[in-house]
Amino acid sequence: MKSLRVGVFGLLGSGNVGNDGSLEAVLGHLRAEHPEAVVDALCGGPEVVTARYGIPATRLHWYRGEYRTASRAGAIAAKGLGKLVDAVRTAAWVRRHDVVIVPGMGVLETTLPLRPWGFPYSLFLLCATGRLLRTRVALVSVGAGVIGNRPTRVLTRWSTRLAAYRSYRDAVSRDAMRAMGVDTARDEVYADLVFALPTPPAGESAGPPGLVCVGVMDFHGSNDDRARAGEIRRRYLDGTTRFVRALVEDGRPVRLLTGDELDRPVVDAILDAVDSPLVTAAETASPADLMKEMAAADTVVATRYHNLICALKAGTPTLALSYSAKSDTLMAEMGLGAHCHPAREVDADRLLEQFRELERRSAQLRRTLSERNLVVARRVEDQFAALTAALFPVADHTHTLRETR
């Protein structure tokens, strides 16, 4: 039987722990259940993906300055040319595959600043060329949100319609695509793919007594908040810093964590402002690193979505600095819906009150998380079983995947 040629696509290897964790989960499934598959990537950081995961990888964008703001005429022209070149490059890459998987991630949302001609355009090229060249494109347990910006909304809606297979990580995502005019009647909801990754063995992680992990983010608001991005960031940083200072005044050791390379300036700012040996920072390059740190803590306070997932999966009571409905939904599904605080309006005093309430319920919440993690793990198993049934037919690799529109 001919080996199936599988591509993986996305902003992978670009410094975002959650994105890479989603890739890791899909690669783990492919290697365990479909070792005959030949896998490569079209991604943001090909060198990292090849070094870390051992698969060939191609750069997503021809123009290397794609995500830098272009102000000079030369840079603007290069970006424009890059869009044309990328259309050809994407089609050539897609043609070489039987299946292309977009592994999880929030590829259909704009909860963080995003330009339509960046990743939304790249995703549209993928799905459009997949349809034209009869390569099956699968959006697997992806996140979505209702998009206000019209060009981004149009590109995202058509990307979703053109995909051969799609599923969502939560009901909020499916509802959002339905609200944007996509027929989701045959689309299923499972769970975020990072829940498929293993947790650290019990007893492996140990931290100082009373340790609190604080997952920070270089937070500027959503795509619709660009006019107030600076104000939102200042308020978030000030509130988070005051909260960390209050923990230190109580004698609590604090470990600062990130979920993306972009978050490092926030860590540095808090370290400079608090200036205490009780506050340290961890180097976390993977979900495994995050879960190991969080499993050693008494409590976690985190902002990034996949930092929350890693904390909840590690079974540690968690308070969310929530910036979107996806975080609120996740916390509610894991039994911690009451333990959310708005990231746009961090009130250190109120946050401290919520933190103390969370710690009072710690034993109960640990039991709840143990139960909910079993449920979520089964949902991810169901996702991979469905993916196998759709994309890896036993008898015929040329089987036509049921088309959804």
Side-chain angles (χ1 to χ4, degrees), residues 79-134:
K79 267 197 173 184
L81 176 61
K83 300 305 174 189
L84 299 176
V85 174
D86 286 344
V88 176
R89 293 174 69 252
T90 301
W93 183 81
V94 167
R95 186 188 292 276
R96 299 199 299 268
H97 299 85
D98 300 296
V99 174
V100 174
I101 296 173
V102 180
M105 306 177 286
V107 295
L108 306 177
E109 65 180 42
T110 57
T111 52
L112 300 176
L114 187 68
R115 298 292 189 187
W117 306 116
F119 186 77
Y121 172 74
S122 300
L123 184 65
F124 171 75
L125 288 180
L126 171 75
C127 296
T129 55
R131 178 62 66 94
L132 287 170
L133 300 172
R134 301 193 178 190

Side-chain angles (χ1 to χ4, degrees), residues 18 70 76 78 87 90 93 123 126 138 154 182 188 202 216 256 269 306 318 357-358 364 371 404:
I76 294 171
T90 301
W93 183 81
L123 184 65
L126 171 75
V154 170
V182 177
E188 298 293 336
V216 301
L256 300 177
H306 283 100
T318 302
E357 174 60 23
L358 180 75
Q364 172 196 346
E371 296 166 1
T404 58

Side-chain angles (χ1 to χ4, degrees), residues 190-207:
Y190 294 102
D192 193 274
L193 296 176
V194 172
F195 279 112
L197 300 178
T199 51
E204 181 179 286
S205 303

Side-chain angles (χ1 to χ4, degrees), residues 41-373:
L42 184 63
C43 60
E47 299 85 2
V48 173
V49 167
T50 296
R52 186 175 294 169
Y53 304 108
I55 61 173
T58 302
R59 186 170 298 280
L60 180 59
H61 300 292
W62 171 79
Y63 179 55
R64 289 177 178 257
E66 173 62 34
Y67 292 104
R68 294 194 297 267
T69 300
S71 55
R72 294 185 177 181
I76 294 171
K79 267 197 173 184
L81 176 61
K83 300 305 174 189
L84 299 176
V85 174
D86 286 344
V88 176
R89 293 174 69 252
T90 301
W93 183 81
V94 167
R95 186 188 292 276
R96 299 199 299 268
H97 299 85
D98 300 296
V99 174
V100 174
I101 296 173
V102 180
M105 306 177 286
V107 295
L108 306 177
E109 65 180 42
T110 57
T111 52
L112 300 176
L114 187 68
R115 298 292 189 187
W117 306 116
F119 186 77
Y121 172 74
S122 300
L123 184 65
F124 171 75
L125 288 180
L126 171 75
C127 296
T129 55
R131 178 62 66 94
L132 287 170
L133 300 172
R134 301 193 178 190
T135 296
R136 294 163 287 172
V137 174
L139 309 180
V140 181
S141 285
V142 296
V146 175
I147 296 170
N149 178 272
R150 189 172 186 276
T152 305
R153 184 173 66 250
V154 170
L155 287 168
T156 301
R157 182 168 59 231
W158 275 105
S159 296
T160 311
R161 287 173 172 171
L162 292 169
Y165 172 91
R166 54 184 179 254
S167 61
Y168 305 96
R169 63 188 178 192
D170 52 41
V172 171
S173 295
R174 183 172 63 182
D175 291 346
M177 295 316 301
R178 183 184 299 123
M180 290 200 300
V182 177
D183 180 0
T184 62
R186 292 180 289 179
D187 299 352
E188 298 293 336
V189 173
Y190 294 102
D192 193 274
L193 296 176
V194 172
F195 279 112
L197 300 178
T199 51
E204 181 179 286
S205 303
L211 176 64
V212 181
C213 281
V214 178
V216 301
M217 179 177 179
D218 191 19
F219 180 61
H220 298 78
S222 74
N223 217 43
D224 298 327
D225 294 322
R226 287 182 179 273
R228 357 182 349 246
E231 173 196 343
I232 289 172
R233 186 183 191 275
R234 283 190 298 273
R235 187 161 188 171
Y236 171 82
L237 180 56
D238 179 66
T240 306
T241 301
R242 289 180 57 213
F243 173 69
V244 170
R245 186 179 290 116
L247 292 176
V248 168
E249 289 171 355
D250 284 345
R252 301 292 293 268
V254 176
R255 190 83 158 146
L256 300 177
L257 307 176
T258 62
D260 193 295
E261 291 175 358
L262 298 173
D263 303 331
R264 186 67 210 190
V266 177
V267 170
D268 293 340
I270 294 174
L271 289 172
D272 289 343
V274 179
D275 191 22
S276 167
L278 288 175
V279 184
T280 56
E283 296 293 333
T284 49
S286 68
D289 292 342
L290 281 171
M291 283 188 271
K292 185 174 181 180
E293 294 285 347
M294 291 165 164
D298 285 10
T299 311
V300 174
V301 179
T303 310
R304 279 197 181 272
Y305 181 74
H306 283 100
N307 279 25
L308 292 173
I309 287 181
C310 289
L312 298 168
K313 186 166 171 54
T316 305
T318 302
L319 200 163
L321 286 174
S322 174
Y323 61 87
S324 73
K326 65 182 179 183
S327 299
D328 297 335
T329 299
L330 170 67
M331 294 292 283
E333 288 181 348
M334 298 302 287
L336 282 82
H339 302 287
C340 296
H341 187 95
R344 282 176 179 78
E345 300 176 358
V346 178
D347 180 328
D349 295 333
R350 174 62 183 145
L351 184 58
L352 196 58
E353 290 175 11
Q354 290 180 280
F355 172 81
R356 287 168 177 158
E357 174 60 23
L358 180 75
E359 292 212 310
R360 281 193 289 270
R361 300 185 60 207
S362 179
Q364 172 196 346
L365 293 175
R366 285 182 180 273
R367 290 191 295 271
T368 298
L369 286 172
S370 179
E371 296 166 1
R372 298 295 174 97
N373 272 311

